[in-house]
Amino acid sequence: MTDKAELPYTWVPVTLDAAFAPRDGAGALSFRGRMWLLGGWNPGDKVHFPRVCNSEVWSSIDGVEWRLELRQAPWEGRHTAGYAVHRDRMWIVGGDPIQHHYQNDVWSSADGIRWDLVCERVPWADRVLHYTVVHEGMIWVIGGQSMPGYVPGPEVFYSDVWCSEDGAHWDRVLEHAPWPPRGMIGGSAAKDGRMWLLGGGTYDTPATPQRLFYNDVWSSADGVEWTRHTDSAAWHPRQYHEVAAWDGRLWVLEGWNGSNRNDVFYSDDGVHWQQLPGTPWAPRHAASVYVHDDALWVVAGNNMTSDVWRLV
């Protein structure tokens, strides 16, 4: 059990009813002193999500007051996209609109209001549920899968690695990584000059009805050579969880493995993990997690409430 005298982390309920409608899979970026909430999914709310996913843009300095910057951005509504801050801009990379097609586009913005279409069709299509990280001056897209049953086409589970400096031109640096194909990892974790791949899994398809869940830990400095740090971390295998690098540590938060979770784990090295006990927020998956204002934030998610929590 964690010794709170050594690690005085505390969850603070910032607000349990923010101005935005509940959602999961929304983009979460800390940019120019504000937290940005991008799009999201809520099929039960036909007012705010008439097409299942929306393209709203919200921002907040403190997590209490949220400002609607755009009701409808020029990019199609989506969730579980790739989200990044790179070259002093916010980036949206692909995503899943739940509209029987893939999103193969890349958008960027310097202010959250004016968005530029940087790439209409990326070369690594078609896929969803990819993992996106900014590392060494590049945007990296890792893994993902196709979704027959939702979108016409063959079943493909990816373990490839792509990178781009400008979001328009992409290079595949590795076709088959040593880790099993996967996706469904939210947030991003870059620490100690390395990208970290923490758990994840594959979504069921008509031909492969059994989902896979992982709790292994891998890292890479260049996207080509990967180090496996552990086959089985202390946290339960999961998908649709969030990862982060904050306070000099790697973090794994919430997720899904047959049911929603609210456990939180941290590690200095990716091998030795400790659980932060007493999580006060409801179990969920596909939350929006921020590293912002010297704190770790958990916002909304599949619990479908508009709550905001801060770990300090």
Side-chain angles (χ1 to χ4, degrees), residues 7-30:
L7 289 168
Y9 294 119
T10 302
W11 286 106
V12 177
V14 178
T15 178
L16 302 182
D17 187 22
F20 53 83
R23 65 197 65 200
D24 86 359
L29 296 175
S30 178

Side-chain angles (χ1 to χ4, degrees), residues 228-239:
R228 180 174 54 199
H229 298 271
T230 179
D231 280 324
S232 181
W235 35 272
H236 199 70
R238 66 194 63 200
Q239 52 188 227

Side-chain angles (χ1 to χ4, degrees), residues 235-250:
W235 35 272
H236 199 70
R238 66 194 63 200
Q239 52 188 227
Y240 285 127
H241 56 302
E242 311 307 307
V243 303
W246 172 68
D247 198 32
R249 296 184 164 94
L250 299 166

